[in-house]
Amino acid sequence: MHRFVRRFRYLLKMALTVSLRKFLFLLLSITAFIVFVFYWSQTTLKPPSIITTFENSLKTRVNQDHFSIPTEKTWTYKCESDKCVRYHYLTETNGEKRVPFMTCSMTCGDVNVWPHPTRRVGVLSSSLKFSVESLQLKMSTSFHEVDRLYRKSFHVFLRELKQIQKIEFFDHAKVAENERQSFNPEDKVKPSKCVKSHCDIINFIVEVHVLKSGNVHIDLETDESYNLTSTLDNNNMVAKITANTFFGARHGLSTLQQLIWYDEEDDLLRILSRFVINDAPKFKYRGLMLDTSRNYFSVDSIKRTLAGMSYAKLNRFHWHLTDSQSFPFVSKYYPELAAYGAYSDRETYTHEDVQEVVEYAKIRGIQVIPEIDAPAHAGNGWEWGPKKGLGDLSLCINQQPWKFYCGEPPCGQLNPKNNNTYLILQKLYEELLNLTGPTDYFHLGGDEVNLECWGQYFNETDLRGLWCDFMLQVMNRLKIANKNVMPKFVGVWSSGLTSTRCLPKSQVAVQVWGGSTWTENYDLIENGFNVIISHVDAWYLDCGFGSWRQTGDAACSPYRTWQNVYKHKPWEKMRLDGMRKKQVLGGEVCLWTEQVDENGLDNRLWPRTAALGERLWTDPDDDNSLDPIPREVFIRMSVFRNRLVELGLKAEPMFPKYCQQNPGECE
């Protein structure tokens, strides 16, 4: 018995000894690990503020994946001599609250709105915090259609602010169906999450008054002016927009949106605390032309383009639907045109597609102007006439050597002596007018007619007269298609034939695409024509990307920078007096698409197209076209470009980001 007890005690002692050794070894290991980590942290860990920044960025990474402009917690900004100066937040401040770049930019110097307002501008540099949930619309108008359309515009406004505040991702491709829906008359979002301790504004009311017109189809007589003011009572802000038309009120909403920005330090929106803006455009026609026939562009990509136009206050989308390369429009009367002319059955535009684009544009204050180019630039899609017993609808289709019969391959030019050609055009015009709605301006094409093509078929001594007959007949067919009402203006491209004295000057507006120093600019105005300017040496955005043919031809150079677009003031160079300047209806940037499809669309257009927006809306004074663009213009353009990116457009950069973060350092 005693032996057993001694044996048990011996074993217990041994077990305890082993356990103690294991425990001591484990304790020593843990201690060594802690010492190692402590030593490593003293030498290699980033400062706590950067760790916090990194951790916070991880929390919002899902949202950040949708935004190309990251938060910049490393830097803070101070307004010094009307420009924002960058400081390293971790080492150059004394515990002051960090000021993000956008908050500094919006409260330092001139009002940061693009295009710059033209009349009265008064703002305070202080700002107020709020959340998008605080916003609601208070609409006041006696015009039902204006009320309906503006509520849809306000709905877009709210969605875009949610994207700016990083609450949701705005997808231009998915909004058309929602925009067809009706909305609750109150147009309120969810109850505000703001509390007084976090937000300066608890209730934010956008009060809109449309006073004089119920027309929701823009024309050259439309009053696009607006007045935008703010009042603040305790934590309640009212932004009041007063205009005579829907379009003026829509521009006021666009300006209000640009007075709002996201402050990532507070994770809230901010707005200037006080503003008074009275604004109106200098030119009535402010356009963008997109060619969707040389390469196909999806409806989604067209919507993105329209969204960008609305931010820059452009109002006419010139849709170059067809050309000799393809005919993507699916006509209900003549489906053969697309069946023979489209690149594929998926690269087409149906009536529903056009309606979707038109509605999307209208909500943003933009008119869609479709163009079926004629009589030249009409090849593929027109070759089926003989099979249907309609004769040759177009001539010279795909003829070689092409350079003798057209401006670029493939060739094709409508048959001016086939009445069926005119009937088809009439029905196409009827379809498009029904889809786009009433208009005071319709584009007939008319450019680059090749008389050598027609000369092979007709023994006419006066081929210019044959062109005149064609254009006059087409104008008559347009009138029939438009319920026997001729649009106030019929657009045609400038060419060597537009100088022919057969076109009615009071009805024809010539889109002048040649060089700004060409004599046609003076001749057309002297001959009494109204003009829309699209000079190739300033406002052709497809130039500067090299040749697309083996011959080395078909490329215009150099690249037109946004500065080129901005500085172009042909009405000044031409020294037009007041009466002749009125013949300049406005201008249009053009993007021909031999070398671009929707994958590169955004960066070809933006921000260069926005430069045209300010030139035609504000037309700022430039004493000398060779003078550098003022610093404040660079700053405003840079901020506007970032807004485009924030809202889903892949606008090309203007300069290295260092120059954006350090205004004035790269001059």
Side-chain angles (χ1 to χ4, degrees):
M1 180 68 178
H2 292 290
R3 207 163 108 190
F4 175 80
V5 171
R6 286 198 302 272
R7 181 67 175 171
F8 175 79
R9 286 177 179 174
Y10 174 78
L11 293 173
L12 179 62
K13 183 179 179 181
M14 291 298 294
L16 288 173
T17 302
V18 172
S19 297
L20 181 61
R21 287 176 181 173
K22 289 182 177 179
F23 173 77
L24 290 174
F25 179 79
L26 180 62
L27 182 61
L28 181 62
S29 299
I30 292 172
T31 303
F33 178 77
I34 291 172
V35 170
F36 174 78
V37 169
F38 180 78
Y39 175 78
W40 179 81
S41 67
Q42 294 299 307
T43 57
T44 61
L45 273 183
K46 296 180 181 179
S49 56
I50 291 189
I51 295 177
T52 303
T53 299
F54 180 72
E55 290 173 345
N56 289 337
S57 69
L58 286 178
K59 293 177 184 178
T60 59
R61 183 166 182 175
V62 173
N63 285 335
Q64 290 296 322
D65 286 344
H66 294 303
F67 298 91
S68 299
I69 302 174
T71 56
E72 300 164 353
K73 298 285 188 178
T74 309
W75 308 102
T76 187
Y77 296 84
K78 295 181 181 180
C79 184
E80 299 176 0
S81 302
D82 284 342
K83 74 172 185 176
C84 292
V85 179
R86 185 179 76 165
Y87 290 92
H88 198 268
Y89 182 58
L90 303 175
T91 60
E92 299 183 60
T93 58
N94 298 315
E96 299 175 0
K97 183 179 179 181
R98 192 180 76 87
V99 177
F101 175 76
M102 273 298 291
T103 296
C104 182
S105 295
M106 294 299 297
T107 56
C108 183
D110 193 19
V111 61
N112 216 318
V113 172
W114 192 279
H116 196 280
T118 57
R119 296 176 179 174
R120 182 187 177 195
V121 180
V123 298
L124 291 182
S125 60
S126 58
S127 62
L128 303 170
K129 296 178 292 183
F130 72 100
S131 182
V132 68
E133 294 93 346
S134 304
L135 280 154
Q136 66 183 82
L137 173 66
K138 184 178 179 182
M139 192 74 195
S140 176
T141 184
S142 59
F143 306 107
H144 173 75
E145 187 62 13
V146 169
D147 184 276
R148 181 192 71 84
L149 202 59
Y150 203 87
R151 291 186 186 280
K152 292 189 174 186
S153 298
F154 189 75
H155 194 68
V156 172
F157 170 75
L158 291 179
R159 278 205 312 269
E160 291 176 341
L161 286 183
K162 285 181 180 180
Q163 168 142 342
I164 290 172
Q165 195 177 337
K166 306 188 189 316
I167 292 175
E168 66 179 33
F169 175 58
F170 185 82
D171 188 349
H172 298 286
K174 298 179 180 178
V175 299
E177 184 174 347
N178 292 332
E179 290 174 359
R180 293 196 191 100
Q181 299 171 0
S182 59
F183 300 101
N184 186 295
E186 296 299 320
D187 272 310
K188 295 180 181 179
V189 294
K190 296 177 182 179
S192 175
K193 296 178 181 178
C194 275
V195 295
K196 193 170 183 179
S197 60
H198 295 104
C199 293
D200 304 306
I201 302 171
I202 304 300
N203 297 300
F204 192 154
I205 298 174
V206 180
E207 185 178 306
V208 180
H209 299 263
V210 178
L211 304 175
K212 291 187 177 180
S213 173
N215 189 7
V216 293
H217 299 282
I218 198 166
D219 58 43
L220 291 166
E221 303 300 322
T222 298
D223 181 354
E224 296 179 82
S225 65
Y226 67 91
N227 184 263
L228 173 62
T229 61
S230 68
T231 57
L232 184 67
D233 182 13
N234 293 323
N235 299 108
N236 302 309
M237 172 172 268
V238 175
K240 184 178 180 181
I241 300 172
T242 305
N244 289 325
T245 68
F246 163 78
F247 298 94
R250 183 66 181 82
H251 295 318
L253 195 63
S254 178
T255 297
L256 177 62
Q257 180 173 309
Q258 290 193 48
L259 297 176
I260 297 169
W261 68 96
Y262 174 67
D263 187 311
E264 71 262 19
E265 192 68 13
D266 294 309
D267 193 25
L268 287 168
L269 297 176
R270 282 187 176 270
I271 186 169
L272 295 176
S273 58
R274 178 72 174 161
F275 46 87
V276 177
I277 296 175
N278 194 4
D279 199 8
K282 295 290 182 66
F283 289 91
K284 294 290 190 179
Y285 188 107
R286 306 179 304 280
L288 180 155
M289 188 227 75
L290 177 64
D291 163 28
T292 61
S293 57
R294 286 172 173 81
N295 277 306
Y296 176 81
F297 292 79
S298 68
V299 170
D300 296 344
S301 64
I302 294 173
K303 287 181 191 174
R304 288 201 314 276
T305 300
L306 292 167
M309 290 177 65
S310 71
Y311 306 142
K313 294 186 174 68
L314 297 171
N315 62 2
R316 306 270 183 149
F317 176 63
H318 177 178
W319 191 351
H320 187 84
L321 261 173
T322 69
D323 213 287
S324 59
Q325 285 87 355
S326 77
F327 197 108
F329 176 62
V330 182
S331 166
K332 289 189 175 180
Y333 294 115
Y334 300 101
E336 295 89 349
L337 290 163
Y340 281 81
Y343 287 131
S344 72
D345 58 350
R346 301 184 66 178
E347 295 171 285
T348 59
Y349 303 107
T350 64
H351 276 216
E352 291 73 22
D353 292 332
V354 176
Q355 286 174 325
E356 189 172 331
V357 168
V358 169
E359 180 70 6
Y360 193 95
K362 185 185 292 186
I363 291 169
R364 290 157 179 79
I366 300 167
Q367 183 203 20
V368 176
I369 301 169
E371 177 198 349
I372 304 292
D373 207 349
H377 294 272
N380 289 285
W382 292 92
E383 61 266 52
W384 50 273
K387 294 180 181 179
K388 297 289 184 177
L390 300 179
D392 289 324
L393 302 172
S394 185
L395 307 171
C396 314
I397 298 176
N398 299 325
Q399 187 168 355
Q400 293 288 347
W402 63 264
K403 62 181 60 178
F404 293 117
Y405 305 109
C406 60
E408 70 177 43
C411 295
Q413 196 157 290
L414 295 181
N415 186 347
K417 293 198 172 184
N418 185 341
N419 285 331
N420 291 315
T421 299
Y422 297 108
L423 177 61
I424 291 173
L425 288 174
Q426 176 187 319
K427 301 305 285 185
L428 288 172
Y429 297 158
E430 181 183 314
E431 287 184 89
L432 292 172
L433 286 165
N434 287 335
L435 291 169
T436 58
T439 181
D440 67 331
Y441 180 85
F442 192 89
H443 207 294
L444 295 175
D447 65 325
E448 295 187 319
V449 172
N450 188 291
L451 298 181
E452 296 297 324
C453 169
W454 281 347
Q456 299 176 98
Y457 297 90
F458 311 118
N459 294 322
E460 301 282 343
T461 56
D462 183 14
L463 291 173
R464 295 173 68 91
L466 191 60
W467 179 80
C468 283
D469 291 342
F470 180 91
M471 296 306 296
L472 293 174
Q473 281 218 51
V474 166
M475 288 180 66
N476 183 58
R477 296 291 182 148
L478 173 62
K479 181 179 178 181
I480 296 171
N482 198 37
K483 301 177 182 177
N484 287 316
V485 176
M486 179 63 74
K488 183 174 182 179
F489 291 106
V490 173
V492 298
W493 292 101
S494 62
S495 72
L497 298 174
T498 47
S499 60
T500 306
R501 297 180 180 273
C502 61
L503 299 179
K505 301 171 185 177
S506 61
Q507 290 178 298
V508 172
V510 180
Q511 186 166 357
V512 186
W513 68 267
S516 58
T517 59
W518 292 12
T519 58
E520 68 173 357
N521 294 284
Y522 306 91
D523 294 342
L524 288 168
I525 289 177
E526 286 298 320
N527 289 335
F529 285 104
N530 292 289
V531 298
I532 292 167
I533 293 174
S534 295
H535 288 148
V536 65
D537 52 355
W539 292 347
Y540 262 40
L541 303 186
D542 53 289
C543 293
F545 292 92
S547 171
W548 58 274
R549 293 207 304 264
Q550 289 181 338
T551 59
D553 299 328
C556 50
S557 292
Y559 178 82
R560 280 50 164 157
T561 66
W562 76 266
Q563 295 96 321
N564 299 145
V565 176
Y566 189 86
K567 297 286 285 184
H568 190 54
K569 294 183 67 172
W571 40 88
E572 294 295 329
K573 290 183 179 180
M574 295 170 68
R575 301 183 183 278
L576 301 178
D577 58 29
M579 184 63 68
R580 286 178 171 79
K581 189 175 179 180
K582 290 181 180 179
Q583 292 174 240
V584 180
L585 302 179
E588 187 170 276
V589 290
C590 297
L591 183 61
W592 301 102
T593 60
E594 288 92 343
Q595 293 178 281
V596 64
D597 62 13
E598 65 180 77
N599 296 300
L601 176 62
D602 291 3
N603 57 46
R604 289 287 176 95
L605 290 178
W606 307 106
R608 292 188 294 166
T609 299
L612 180 85
E614 180 151 304
R615 173 51 59 200
L616 296 178
W617 180 279
T618 313
D619 192 23
D621 292 330
D622 296 323
D623 295 332
N624 188 337
S625 62
L626 298 178
D627 288 343
I629 291 176
R631 176 193 295 166
E632 69 88 10
V633 176
F634 265 87
I635 293 172
R636 285 190 300 105
M637 172 61 96
S638 176
V639 169
F640 185 77
R641 181 263 172 187
N642 285 356
R643 286 186 181 275
L644 294 177
V645 173
E646 207 169 32
L647 289 166
L649 278 78
K650 297 179 180 179
E652 67 179 359
M654 296 167 54
F655 34 50
K657 188 169 181 175
Y658 174 86
C659 304
Q660 172 196 309
Q661 291 184 334
N662 297 271
E665 294 297 315
C666 300
E667 295 178 1

